[in-house]
Amino acid sequence: MLNSKDHPKDKYKKVFLVGAYAPVSSAPDGERELFLRNLQAAVESAERDALLVVGGDFNAQLGVRQPDSLVGVRDTVRGPFGIPHVNRAGEALLDVLVSCDLRAVLSYFEKRTRKDFFAGNFAAAYGTWLHPRTRKPYMLDHWFTRQA
């Protein structure tokens, strides 16, 4: 990416990395709210001329961009690829991503899958965690960057 014509290698002199591990869904709401405030503070502390990369286990399902979304501003955060489900933690995280002008990078790239391995379940290619009983995939781990 840094060597492409859109992002010359001299554009970024600094890299700012943020690693995160969010509370699980059964944690008290106050714990998740504190996590999101700390995440937002960390992102906002990055200098604007730095390449910002945020990655972690967010325990949040963000879903994918919907063409008929009622909240158009979120369409710039999520791409068209991934698992379409959004949970409550995902909604709260989306609010932070919108306010920090971040993009969910993995949702902008279609993954190539081996149909025989995933038995036709292409959502499984995007799953970062499988439910131990149902084997249903969930995308709970994410990478974010600032929007160009």
Side-chain angles (χ1 to χ4, degrees):
M1 177 176 131
L2 293 179
N3 291 324
S4 73
K5 65 180 177 178
D6 295 329
H7 297 285
K9 65 181 178 180
D10 293 337
K11 180 174 181 178
Y12 298 111
K13 302 288 186 203
K14 303 171 202 161
V15 176
F16 192 88
L17 301 174
V18 176
Y21 183 79
V24 295
S25 60
S26 60
D29 287 341
E31 198 173 317
R32 180 163 283 282
E33 290 167 7
L34 177 62
F35 166 78
L36 292 173
R37 281 196 307 271
N38 288 339
L39 176 66
Q40 186 164 357
V43 168
E44 289 173 349
S45 71
E47 296 176 21
R48 289 301 300 176
D49 64 341
L51 172 61
L52 172 65
V53 179
V54 180
D57 180 349
F58 290 90
N59 289 309
Q61 298 175 77
L62 297 176
V64 296
R65 178 176 56 216
Q66 299 296 320
D68 58 350
S69 175
L70 297 176
V71 186
V73 70
R74 288 192 179 158
D75 287 348
T76 64
V77 172
R78 301 175 293 182
F81 304 108
I83 299 173
H85 181 73
V86 180
N87 64 3
R88 193 172 72 148
E91 286 290 335
L93 180 58
L94 281 167
D95 290 339
V96 172
L97 299 176
V98 168
S99 70
C100 293
D101 200 28
L102 297 179
R103 177 176 287 159
V105 177
L106 298 178
S107 66
Y108 282 85
F109 298 95
E110 184 173 20
K111 287 191 174 188
R112 297 184 186 268
T113 61
R114 286 184 35 214
K115 195 171 187 174
D116 57 334
F117 180 78
F118 295 111
N121 182 3
F122 292 103
Y126 293 93
T128 59
W129 181 77
L130 287 177
H131 188 281
R133 183 176 43 82
T134 66
R135 306 300 292 166
K136 180 180 176 183
Y138 293 85
M139 189 174 185
L140 305 176
D141 304 327
H142 304 279
W143 289 97
F144 308 116
T145 61
R146 281 195 185 112
Q147 297 192 28

